[in-house]
Amino acid sequence: PALMQLTGGNPMFVLETLKRLWALPEHGQGAALPRPGNVGMLIDRRLAQLSAPALTLARVAAIAGTDFGIALTEAVIGQPALQLASAWHELEAAQVLRDGAFAHDLVYEAALRSVPPHIARHTHAAVAEWLNAHDGEPARIAEHWLQAGDSRRAMPHLIDAGWRSSHRTRLAEARGFFERAVAAAAGCGARTHEFEALEALHENYSREDPG
């Protein structure tokens, strides 16, 4: 399944990945599947041949990740869905998208790699704003703000995500969110949020070990 997710079952991509895996010490036992560089370059060239609207759509899809959807894309690109139809069809014909998601991880990584860092940060912020206005998942909103380089705006969503996980008794997951909130608050000098996150973290530990 991991190989299929990475390569989409493309025989050449599968073969190149397995070659790289075989070359690793002990054949990469326990390691993540390697990303074959020559395949990455082929995919980069395929993306470069797309029309500008199709490449823009692919880049938005890569930055939005699991939050990618028609309504979000309309807002980020500033075009109605009907004007995106041709670009969408082009991406499907080029086997970049399949059923509204990337055909495989190597294509996703290439699309994400093609976005200049400052443009990526700006787009992450636009995605976070849209999700916040449409009752998005706090953990995802926080992640987009962090990718946008705005820890201050990520903090309340990290805390919210922590409480949601805590209420679902996923205490280890909750602790991770609270710890990230503490680090983000300390990094930008937000003492109020830091104290709030520390309090939440302490309560989370208390629930794990009542003694």
Side-chain angles (χ1 to χ4, degrees), residues 3-4 7-16 46 95 104:
L3 189 59
M4 176 63 77
T7 65
N10 181 299
M12 184 185 72
F13 297 172
V14 169
L15 181 59
E16 290 300 319
R46 183 196 299 178
Q95 298 182 359
H104 51 79

Side-chain angles (χ1 to χ4, degrees), residues 12-101:
M12 184 185 72
F13 297 172
V14 169
L15 181 59
E16 290 300 319
T17 301
L18 292 177
K19 283 180 181 177
R20 286 287 298 273
L21 186 65
W22 189 262
L24 294 175
E26 297 185 9
H27 309 317
Q29 186 173 2
L33 288 172
R35 269 58 177 169
N38 55 340
V39 169
M41 288 187 290
L42 286 173
I43 297 173
D44 288 343
R45 287 201 290 268
R46 183 196 299 178
L47 291 179
Q49 293 171 354
L50 294 170
S51 68
L55 183 56
T56 296
L57 181 58
R59 286 168 166 170
V60 170
I63 289 172
T66 57
D67 300 309
F68 177 61
I70 294 293
L72 183 149
T73 304
E74 284 183 304
V76 172
I77 295 180
Q79 292 181 344
L82 284 176
Q83 291 186 20
L84 302 173
S86 296
W88 194 290
H89 286 313
E90 184 180 346
L91 293 179
E92 289 184 333
Q95 298 182 359
V96 173
L97 292 185
R98 181 188 301 147
D99 298 327

Side-chain angles (χ1 to χ4, degrees), residues 48-177:
Q49 293 171 354
L50 294 170
S51 68
L55 183 56
T56 296
L57 181 58
R59 286 168 166 170
V60 170
I63 289 172
T66 57
D67 300 309
F68 177 61
I70 294 293
L72 183 149
T73 304
E74 284 183 304
V76 172
I77 295 180
Q79 292 181 344
L82 284 176
Q83 291 186 20
L84 302 173
S86 296
W88 194 290
H89 286 313
E90 184 180 346
L91 293 179
E92 289 184 333
Q95 298 182 359
V96 173
L97 292 185
R98 181 188 301 147
D99 298 327
F102 280 97
H104 51 79
D105 287 350
L106 291 173
V107 173
Y108 159 74
E109 291 166 5
L112 191 61
R113 192 167 57 243
S114 75
V115 186
H118 62 289
I119 299 295
R121 288 192 294 271
H122 178 82
T123 308
H124 275 294
V127 171
E129 292 276 17
W130 189 90
L131 290 174
N132 189 53
H134 292 82
D135 198 27
E137 183 68 28
R140 298 296 309 142
I141 298 172
E143 189 60 37
H144 284 296
W145 279 126
L146 290 171
Q147 292 297 324
D150 196 334
S151 299
R152 188 176 294 273
R153 298 190 72 173
M155 284 181 297
H157 300 292
L158 286 169
I159 294 171
D160 192 7
W163 283 125
R164 288 196 181 197
S165 295
S166 181
H167 293 153
R168 296 166 183 162
T169 65
R170 298 204 293 257
L171 301 183
E173 182 180 272
R175 183 172 67 248
F177 285 124

